[in-house]
Amino acid sequence: MKQTRLTIVLVAGLTLATAAAVPAAAGGGKPQKKTVKIADNYYSPTKLAVNKGSTITWKWPDTTGDTHDVLLDKGPKGVKKFQSESAGSFYSYKQKLKVPGEYKIICTLHEQEMKMTIRVRK
Ligand SMILES: [Cu+2]
């Protein structure tokens, strides 16, 4: 009788441990697609949090404006820097962010005021 009870407690404990481990092992959500608007002189939004593997598209306006670009100023370890062309309008630039961490983006023509941060979840 005593042995049976011990077994039940043990099994219940194991089940709990397994259930708790599943969400962590499954990791983050699905890759997303997000658009960042380019304006004079700012990105919109300036802060983004996305799942790993998401694609970010920076979209320039369809009207003539100031010239801007997109440069990865600082990214997670091992991520190569990327930079778009400089453009004023009718342009877009895409990047797939595969490595979790923080990506600091700046416009090299307005680096004091035009910046944004993207956080890629694990
Ligand atoms: Cu700019």
Side-chain angles (χ1 to χ4, degrees):
M1 197 63 184
K2 209 169 186 185
Q3 178 130 27
T4 311
R5 184 187 271 170
L6 189 74
T7 309
I8 289 167
V9 169
L10 204 73
V11 169
L14 272 174
T15 310
L16 260 177
T18 310
V22 167
K30 286 181 187 163
Q32 300 158 284
K33 283 186 174 144
K34 293 281 180 187
T35 304
V36 175
K37 201 176 100 181
I38 296 210
D40 293 336
N41 297 323
Y42 58 91
Y43 299 112
S44 177
T46 54
K47 280 196 173 126
L48 255 185
V50 296
N51 296 329
K52 191 171 77 174
S54 293
T55 302
I56 314 295
T57 303
W58 285 267
K59 202 172 180 308
W60 277 249
D62 290 349
T63 51
T64 312
D66 215 342
T67 303
H68 305 287
D69 68 1
V70 169
L71 168 76
L72 175 63
D73 188 39
K74 200 161 184 262
K77 218 176 185 179
V79 174
K80 271 193 201 161
K81 289 200 174 173
F82 53 76
Q83 185 170 16
S84 74
E85 302 286 323
S86 295
S89 56
F90 295 103
Y91 184 67
S92 71
Y93 178 72
K94 247 183 223 182
Q95 274 295 330
K96 192 176 196 171
L97 307 181
K98 298 174 196 157
V99 181
E102 206 172 60
Y103 293 71
K104 299 240 178 221
I105 309 286
I106 60 162
C107 168
T108 61
L109 296 105
H110 310 99
E111 55 181 289
Q112 290 309 313
E113 54 185 315
M114 195 165 171
K115 41 185 123 183
M116 69 173 299
T117 305
I118 304 170
R119 193 170 62 81
V120 176
R121 300 182 196 104
K122 277 182 188 160

